[in-house]
C-alpha cells in the first residue's frame, strides 16, 4: 500500500467515526500528495479535529482501549529499553509491561501493523495494544528512556564476568528467540569466530561461523523462525525492521564474559523471501596487538620497528581483503602511540577506538572521502597519519605531499605483492621520482592457519612439497650471505634464507584434530610477510619505471623474503602446513635468481 492510499484509508476511518467530513478532507489529500505531509498533522493544524479525537477514533475503529495519559512510573523500563529509542520514536510506540503470555504496549498508530508484528516476533508473544495521542506517546518515550540512561536501571559496564555470562547465556527471558540469538553470540565468541552467517534455506535456517578464515555449519533451525531471528538482530542493531527490500548496515555492542565485542551487521534481501544476515565480530583484544605478536621474521621485525619510528615517509601495507592489514596498521600505531605524538586516522569504518589516537570515519555520501580527510588532517598539526586505503590519484598525491612536508603516513593499497604497489602508484599517474623520494617500505601479507600444538602430526617432507615451497638445501652462497644495504642495516645479524641443513628430508607437520581444537586441527592464524625496503637498488629501478618482477628481484638480492619464503620458514618451524602456505601464496611470483 502506498503512502497516499494509506492516508486515504485513514481519512475513511475518520469519516466513518464522525471526526471529519469528506468535503474537509478532500483538499488535504492534495497537500499530502504534493508535499508529503501527514494527514493527521494537517487535520490538527487546521483545527478540523483534535489529536485526541483522531486517537479515539482509531482506537474505536480497531476495537482497542484508549489511554488519555501514560503513567511512566508503571512502565517497566527494562522491557521498554529492548526497543532502540529511534525505532520507538519512529513508530510512536512504547513497550509497557511483559507477562508470561503477552507484552503490553501503547501506540499512536494502531494501523502500523508491521511495527506491531515486529514486537510480537521479538518477544515471541501476543501483544496487548492500547492507543494514545502521538504527543502523549512521545512524551512518555522521552521520560522512560531518560530514566534508563540516567538511572540505576541500566546494567553497569563494570559488572562481573559471571553477571555478563548470565546476562547473555542464561537469561531468564521467556522469549526463545532472544535466548537463541544470545546463544549464537556466545558460542561464536567461545569458538573464536570472526563472522556469523544467518542464511535462509528452502526448509531451514542455517547458521555458519567463519573460524580462522574457514566457514563451518554451526546450527540449523526451522525456517518458521527466520522472521523472528531477523527481527531480533535488526532491533539489536538499530535497523528498520519494516524495511525488507533494501540492504541495511548497523552495529551492536556486546559484553560477553568480560570481553567487549563490537558487531557489524549487514542484511540483504534474498530470493527466498527472508533476508540474509552477516555479522562481523570485532574483538578489541585480538586487533590491538604488538608488532612482536604478528609473527615477523627477525629481519622484518627489526625493519618494521625502524620504519614506524621514522619522522617521515610512506609505509604501505598490501594484501587481499581479510589478510590482516588493519591489524598490522593498528600494531604499528600502537608501537608509536605516545602523548607527545599527534596521530590521526581516516578509516572506513573505524573498527576500534584507540585511546590517544584521533580517528575519523569516512563518509563518501556527504563528501568526506579519504582524500578530503587527509587534506583536513594537514591543518591539524599531525605527526603521523593513517589512511585506510589509497584508492585514487588524489589520495596518493595528498599522502605524498604529507610525507614530503615532514609526516609519517601509513596506508594500504590493493596489489598482490610488495613490488606491485610501486607499479600501482605509477599507474595512478604518480611521478616515479615522487614515489622514490617518499615510499620507504612496502609490506605484503597473507594469513595462514596455525597448527594445533596438541595434536599436530609430524612426517617427513616430500621432494614435491619442497619444490612447492621453493626450499633448497643447496641454496647458492650469495643467498646465504646477503645483507641489507648500509642505509637499512639496522641489525648486525646476517639474515639467512629459508633452508635446512641435511642429511635427509626436513620434518613437516600436518593437521589432525582433537578436543583442544574442536577437531579442526588448527587454532588461530598468523601472518606471512614480504617486506620490501625502498633502498638504493630498488629506488634506481623505480626511477627507470621498471616492471614489478624486476623490482622484486632486486629487493630479494638485498635480503627480502617473498611471501612463500616466509611461509616456508613457518612450515619448517612447525607452525603451519604446506597446503596453507601454497593456498595463501598462489599469486606469489617466483623470481629466477
Amino acid at each position: 500500500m502506498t503512502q497516499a492510499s494509506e492516508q486515504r484509508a485513514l481519512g475513511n476511518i475518520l469519516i466513518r467515526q464522525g471526526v471529519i467530513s469528506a468535503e474537509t478532507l478532500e483538499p488535504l489529500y492534495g497537500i499530502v500528495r504534493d508535499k508529503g505531509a501527514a494527514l493527521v498533522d494537517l487535520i490538527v493544524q487546521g483545527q478540523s479535529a483534535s489529536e485526541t479525537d483522531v486517537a479515539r477514533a482509531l482506537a474505536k475503529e480497531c476495537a482497542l482501549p484508549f489511554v488519555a495519559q501514560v503513567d511512566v512510573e508503571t512502565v517497566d523500563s527494562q522491557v521498554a529499553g529492548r526497543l532502540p529509542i529511534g525505532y520507538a520514536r519512529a513508530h510512536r510506540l512504547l513497550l509497557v509491561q511483559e507477562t508470561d503470555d503477552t507484552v503490553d504496549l501503547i501506540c499512536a498508530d494502531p494501523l502500523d501493523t508491521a511495527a506491531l508484528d515486529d514486537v510480537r516476533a521479538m518477544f515471541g508473544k501476543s501483544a496487548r495494544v492500547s492507543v494514545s495521542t502521538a504527543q502523549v506517546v512521545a512524551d512518555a518515550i522521552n521520560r522512560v528512556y531518560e530514566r534508563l540512561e540516567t538511572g540505576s536501571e541500566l546494567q553497569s559496564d563494570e559488572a562481573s564476568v559471571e553477571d555478563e555470562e548470565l546476562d547473555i547465556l542464561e537469561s531468564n527471558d521467556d522469549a526463545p528467540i532472544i535466548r537463541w540469538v544470545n546463544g549464537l553470540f556466545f558460542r561464536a565468541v567461545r569458538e573464536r569466530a570472526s563472522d556469523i552467517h544467518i542464511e535462509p534455506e528452502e526448509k531451514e535456517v542455517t547458521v555458519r561461523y567463519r573460524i580462522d578464515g574457514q566457514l563451518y555449519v554451526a546450527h540449523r533451525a526451522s525456517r518458521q523462525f527466520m522472521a523472528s531471528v531477523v527481527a531480533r538482530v535488526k532491533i539489536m542493531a538499530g535497523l528498520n525492521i519494516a524495511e525488507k527490500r533494501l540492504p541495511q548496515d548497523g552495529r551492536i555492542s556486546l559484553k560477553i564474559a568480560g570481553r567487549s565485542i563490537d558487531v557489524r551487521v549487514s542484511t540483504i534481501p534474498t530470493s527466498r523471501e527472508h533476508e540474509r544476515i552477516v555479522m562481523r565480530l570485532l574483538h578489541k583484544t585480538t586487533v590491538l596487538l604488538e608488532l612482536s605478536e604478528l609473527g615477523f621474521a627477525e629481519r622484518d621485525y627489526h625493519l618494521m620497528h625502524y620504519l614506524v619510528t621514522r619522522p617521515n615517509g610512506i609505509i604501505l601495507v598490501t594484501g587481499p581483503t581479510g589478510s590482516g592489514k588493519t591489524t598490522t596498521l593498528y600494531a604499528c600505531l600502537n608501537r608509536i602511540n605516545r602523548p607527545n605524538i599527534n596521530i590521526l586516522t581516516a578509516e572506513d569504518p573505524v573498527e576500534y577506538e584507540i585511546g590517544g589516537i584521533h580517528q575519523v570515519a569516512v563518509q563518501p555520501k556527504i563528501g568526506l572521502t579519504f582524500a578530503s580527510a587527509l587534506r583536513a588532517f594537514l591543518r591539524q598539526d599531525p605527526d603521523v597519519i593513517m589512511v585506510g586505503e589509497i584508492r585514487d590519484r588524489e589520495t596518493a598525491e595528498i599522502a605524498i605531499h604529507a610525507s614530503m612536508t615532514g609526516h609519517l603516513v601509513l596506508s594500504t593499497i590493493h596489489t598482490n605483492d610488495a613490488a606491485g604497489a610501486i607499479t600501482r602508484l605509477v599507474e595512478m599517474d604518480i611521478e616515479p621520482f615522487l614515489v622514490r623520494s617518499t615510499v620507504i617500505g612496502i609490506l605484503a601479507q597473507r594469513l595462514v592457519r596455525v597448527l594445533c600444538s596438541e595434536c599436530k602430526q609430524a612426517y617427513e617432507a616430500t621432494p614435491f612439497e619442497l619444490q612447492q615451497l621453493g626450499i633448497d638445501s643447496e641454496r647458492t652462497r650469495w643467498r646465504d650471505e646477503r645483507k641489507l644495504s648500509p642505509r637499512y642495516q639496522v641489525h648486525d645479524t646476517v639474515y639467512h634464507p629459508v633452508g635446512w641443513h641435511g642429511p635427509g628430508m626436513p620434518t613437516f607437520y600436518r593437521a589432525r584434530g582433537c578436543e583442544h581444537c574442536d577437531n579442526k586441527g588448527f587454532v588461530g592464524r598468523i601472518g606471512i610477510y614480504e617486506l620490501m625496503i625502498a633502498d638504493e637498488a630498488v629506488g634506481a629501478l623505480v626511477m627507470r619505471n621498471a616492471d614489478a618482477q624486476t623490482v622484486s628481484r632486486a629487493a630479494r638480492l638485498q635480503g627480502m623474503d617473498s611471501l612463500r619464503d616466509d611461509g616456508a620458514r613457518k612450515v619448517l618451524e612447525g607452525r603451519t602446513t604446506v597446503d596453507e602456505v601454497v593456498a595463501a601464496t598462489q599469486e606469489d611470483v617466483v623470481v629466477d635468481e
Side-chain angles (χ1 to χ4, degrees), residues 345-350 360-374 387-388 391:
T345 76
E347 304 174 55
D348 183 19
V350 174
V360 173
V362 299
Q363 300 181 63
K365 291 182 180 178
I366 63 171
L368 182 56
T369 62
F370 283 127
S372 61
L374 262 178
V387 57
R391 299 174 179 171

Side-chain angles (χ1 to χ4, degrees), residues 284-553:
K284 190 168 186 177
T285 54
T286 59
V287 169
L288 299 181
L289 301 177
E290 295 293 336
L291 278 177
S292 58
E293 300 176 283
L294 297 183
F296 285 116
E298 184 184 17
R299 165 194 181 267
D300 293 348
Y301 172 73
H302 288 294
L303 284 173
M304 282 301 296
H305 173 73
Y306 169 74
L307 291 174
V308 299
T309 54
R310 288 280 302 272
N312 62 285
I314 298 175
I315 302 171
L316 297 174
V317 181
T318 183
T321 301
S323 60
K325 298 188 298 295
T326 299
T327 300
T328 299
L329 288 175
Y330 279 167
C332 292
L333 295 179
N334 224 13
R335 171 59 61 93
I336 58 177
N337 186 13
R338 301 290 184 271
N340 62 327
I341 297 179
N342 183 19
I343 303 175
L344 302 175
T345 76
E347 304 174 55
D348 183 19
V350 174
E351 293 194 358
Y352 288 108
E353 294 185 1
I354 308 173
I357 296 177
H358 308 283
Q359 299 163 272
V360 173
V362 299
Q363 300 181 63
K365 291 182 180 178
I366 63 171
L368 182 56
T369 62
F370 283 127
S372 61
L374 262 178
R375 194 176 290 110
F377 285 174
L378 294 178
R379 299 189 291 271
Q380 291 283 315
D381 186 30
D383 297 299
V384 179
I385 296 172
M386 191 267 274
V387 57
E389 182 183 348
I390 293 179
R391 299 174 179 171
D392 50 45
R393 178 182 177 182
E394 183 182 13
T395 308
E397 287 179 335
I398 301 171
I400 287 171
H401 174 71
S403 169
M404 295 178 71
T405 53
H407 306 91
L408 182 66
V409 180
L410 295 86
S411 187
T412 69
I413 191 168
H414 277 292
T415 59
N416 288 333
D417 59 9
I422 296 288
T423 55
R424 180 76 183 96
L425 289 172
V426 174
E427 288 170 0
M428 291 180 183
D429 293 329
I430 303 300
E431 292 290 343
F433 77 90
L434 291 175
V435 177
R436 168 70 183 96
S437 60
T438 57
V439 176
I440 58 176
I442 303 171
L443 179 74
Q445 67 179 73
R446 302 289 190 275
L447 292 178
V448 294
R449 292 184 292 176
V450 177
L451 282 163
C452 173
S453 60
E454 300 293 323
C455 65
K456 64 182 181 181
Q457 187 175 32
Y459 69 99
E460 186 178 278
T462 67
F464 177 68
E465 288 177 320
L466 299 183
Q467 181 183 356
Q468 282 184 299
L469 296 177
I471 298 177
D472 183 358
S473 63
E474 302 296 330
R475 301 296 273 262
T476 54
R477 182 172 299 279
W478 69 262
R479 285 277 292 171
D480 203 40
E481 295 177 350
R482 61 189 177 166
K483 290 187 179 182
L484 297 172
S485 60
R487 181 183 176 192
Y488 293 103
Q489 186 66 48
V490 297
H491 198 269
D492 292 334
T493 304
V494 175
Y495 296 101
H496 294 283
V498 178
W500 90 99
H501 303 284
M505 290 292 188
T507 299
F508 286 176
Y509 293 84
R510 61 169 62 96
R512 187 174 181 182
C514 65
E515 184 178 341
H516 177 72
C517 61
D518 198 19
N519 289 316
K520 292 180 174 65
F522 299 91
V523 179
R525 290 189 289 178
I526 193 171
I528 56 175
Y529 303 99
E530 175 182 286
L531 178 56
M532 188 177 78
I533 298 299
D535 61 5
E536 289 80 2
V538 170
L541 292 174
V542 172
M543 293 297 292
R544 295 207 301 266
N545 217 358
D547 60 78
Q549 187 168 338
T550 302
V551 173
S552 181
R553 181 184 294 112

